[in-house]
Amino acid sequence: MERFDVMVVGAGPAGSAAAMHLARGGARVLLVDKARFPRDKPCGGGLTGRALKHAPCEVEPVVEHVVDRFVLRAGYGRNVARTGGRPLIRMTQRRRLDLHLAEQAAAAGADFRDGARVDEISVDGEKPTARVGGRPVRATWVVGADGANGVVARASGLGDGIVRGVALEGNVAWGTLDPTRYRGTAWVELGVVPGGYGWVFPKGDHANLGVGGWLDEGPRLRAHLDRLAREHDLDSGALSEVRGHRLPMRRLGAAAARGRVLLVGDAAGLVDPLSGDGIYEAFVSARLAAEAILAASPAGYEAQLSAALDRHAAASWKAKRVADRYPRGCLWAMRAPGVFDAISGLLCGDLAHPSDARRLAQPPLRMLSRLARSAP
């Protein structure tokens, strides 16, 4: 039987980041994923500045496009356009990002095995065991980074307290879509999908179009995506690689660890309720989990996770209610002085919470907060 200090299940951003931190700290790490790499994942593929501040390695080699401008529209009607004057989001594709991070984890000393399924996982004993690619493995710790439907959370009795959304996206080549309006620009469509939004994000040789919302919107997402395409002068048949995925959003205080198992990233439900992005949360949770394991102090992981993420997540839940119920109110706020500077600061990691924004932005932000309290 092979033995490791830590088995990390799932080699997405959270898993590979955790493996990197652990290997650099001297742990014997097995990083395993059932898919063969490179493999793609449904994802908008945006790396915010605040995510990059917590990235475990340089990611510039996989950046395809830099966004410094937003267009926010409500109900496919009026829009507000704002330019940040600095990079706000760096766009990539998950097949490139995830392969790069896994390779960096291997370079740091982790044993990376792709195309290896984890079966018969048992976490009840003193040291968890599993079969990895048909071979028995024992580890002192297990990091669950295997996504919204992962085997680690099920085996450890974790995963409660997670609200699930759903998204559907596709790609369209430049040329089919006129790049003039979209270069350097992220389009966000509010009030078009209950519990979410539509988007158009630029990439290297194509644009990514998608819609996301509450889980019960799943049967209607294809119609929402077709409408989004038409509103951007596209035939829905022009979209390729159309695929859906679930968005796990953690309720504040939901458990993310038990015994010798720690969950990170999507496996812990760490997707931002407002944006649907989870890469910042993946990097933060990966670092905190690795630090807890290296210090042999897993009991503090959940408290540290809450301290790092809950304040921002609470604001995102509140903003999600406003965006869902009052999309035109969001456009009004976007036009107000100082508000886009606050949004830019949150994206770039200069602000931890909307209440930290400059005084000029506070009146419209307080109005949105009052609207959130009145929204169901």
Side-chain angles (χ1 to χ4, degrees):
M1 179 177 287
E2 292 185 279
R3 289 171 171 80
F4 294 88
D5 296 320
V6 189
M7 178 171 63
V8 181
V9 182
S16 289
M20 237 180 287
H21 290 303
L22 289 161
R24 289 170 182 163
R28 294 171 298 154
V29 182
L30 173 63
L31 173 63
V32 59
D33 198 290
K34 64 183 179 182
R36 284 285 183 191
F37 280 52
R39 62 94 179 91
D40 211 359
K41 281 275 190 177
C43 178
L47 292 163
T48 62
R50 69 181 182 135
L52 293 179
K53 288 186 175 183
H54 297 271
C57 64
E58 177 61 58
V59 298
E60 200 62 34
V62 298
V63 171
E64 297 185 353
H65 204 106
V66 177
V67 164
D68 63 358
R69 181 173 179 264
F70 269 78
V71 175
L72 187 69
R73 188 160 61 164
Y76 296 124
R78 294 181 178 180
N79 70 64
V80 176
R82 291 289 184 269
T83 301
R86 56 176 172 169
L88 300 175
I89 306 176
R90 289 164 175 82
M91 293 293 177
T92 184
Q93 296 182 69
R94 287 289 299 275
R95 65 172 159 264
R96 298 188 64 193
L97 175 66
D98 290 9
L99 176 62
H100 175 69
L101 293 173
E103 289 175 339
Q104 293 301 307
D111 182 345
F112 173 48
R113 301 180 192 176
D114 59 344
R117 184 176 294 276
V118 175
D119 297 305
E120 300 176 27
I121 184 167
S122 173
V123 298
D124 294 329
E126 185 177 333
K127 292 194 176 181
T129 61
R131 296 189 71 82
V132 177
R135 300 163 64 180
V137 169
R138 174 172 287 166
T140 305
W141 306 94
V142 174
V143 173
D146 47 346
N149 303 302
V151 299
V152 176
R154 290 200 302 271
S156 56
L158 294 167
D160 291 338
I162 292 177
V163 178
R164 300 188 188 278
V166 64
L168 185 70
E169 64 176 67
N171 296 322
V172 62
W174 295 128
T176 306
L177 184 69
D178 179 6
T180 307
R181 300 168 68 198
Y182 303 96
R183 295 283 188 194
T185 303
W187 281 72
V188 176
E189 307 279 4
L190 297 181
V192 300
V193 185
Y197 63 96
W199 70 84
V200 181
F201 292 159
K203 302 295 181 74
D205 60 0
H206 68 279
N208 177 259
L209 282 72
V211 289
W214 298 120
L215 185 61
D216 58 10
E217 278 301 303
R220 294 174 287 278
L221 279 189
R222 183 68 216 211
H224 288 310
L225 184 61
D226 290 349
R227 172 77 187 277
L228 175 71
R230 291 195 302 272
E231 292 291 340
H232 287 270
D233 301 320
L234 286 170
D235 186 298
S236 61
L239 295 175
S240 64
E241 302 173 273
V242 176
R243 57 260 170 104
H245 58 110
R246 290 189 173 188
L247 302 169
M249 298 168 286
R250 171 179 175 263
R251 292 191 186 278
L252 303 187
R258 180 166 294 159
R260 293 186 174 273
V261 176
L262 289 75
L263 301 183
V264 295
D266 282 11
L270 299 179
V271 165
D272 186 281
L274 176 64
S275 69
D277 172 45
I279 295 179
Y280 162 73
E281 290 82 357
F283 288 161
V284 170
S285 61
R287 175 179 56 80
L288 293 176
E291 289 174 353
I293 289 171
L294 291 170
S297 179
Y301 170 62
E302 289 179 317
Q304 292 168 342
L305 193 69
S306 291
L309 299 179
D310 280 7
R311 185 170 179 244
H312 184 92
S316 287
W317 277 113
K318 193 179 288 187
K320 183 180 183 70
R321 293 197 295 274
V322 174
D324 197 29
R325 184 73 180 270
Y326 306 107
R328 287 175 177 81
C330 295
L331 256 68
W332 165 81
M334 186 86 146
R335 294 188 181 99
V339 170
F340 186 72
D341 289 341
I343 293 171
S344 174
L346 290 166
L347 287 170
C348 292
D350 300 332
L351 296 181
H353 190 270
S355 64
D356 300 331
R358 291 167 52 200
R359 186 174 301 174
L360 190 65
Q362 288 302 322
L365 292 177
R366 283 196 294 269
M367 177 61 74
L368 292 180
S369 181
R370 284 194 289 271
L371 288 175
R373 288 195 292 271
S374 70

